[in-house]
Amino acid sequence: MARTHARAFAGQSRGWSAQEIADLFQSPLVFAVGDARAFALGRAIAGEAELLTLATDPDHRRLGLAHACLAAFEATAQSRGARTAFLEVAADNTAARALYGVSGYQEIACRTGYYAHADRAAVDALILQKSFA
């Protein structure tokens, strides 16, 4: 997962390490869907789910894998009692924003300048929500 995450986010941000991913799985609330080509990590608690990350290896993009992982995340979240899902996406990540938009997610908030970059201006984080009801 760490390798896929690093490749997916190369040039955008730092990929998550194997230890960071392993640490997430210390919680029984965290789950993963997908495979080595694309995966989603999520967490569900108290009727809400959070998409922690969605990563697709660049060699496997444009095959519908991210859409399939997002759908699997939603199905797993609902099976764990979630009625609403939340996620955060960089405002300049047009591909991800398009995927989330066609999947029914709507912007509910913005964290101005949330993603800091050493070599370019900070980017806003958009908070998106989808109700499963």
Side-chain angles (χ1 to χ4, degrees), residues 37-38 56-67 94-96 98-99:
R37 300 169 301 159
T56 303
D57 186 288
D59 291 342
H60 300 283
R61 289 187 178 147
R62 313 281 311 153
L63 301 174
L65 298 174
H67 191 271
T94 55
L99 169 66

Side-chain angles (χ1 to χ4, degrees), residues 1-10 14-22 25 35-36 39 41 53 55 57:
M1 288 180 139
R3 180 183 178 280
T4 299
H5 199 270
R7 287 179 46 80
F9 287 91
R14 178 186 68 80
W16 294 357
S17 71
Q19 186 61 56
E20 288 170 317
I21 292 170
F25 283 109
D35 58 29
F39 70 90
L41 284 177
T53 193
D57 186 288

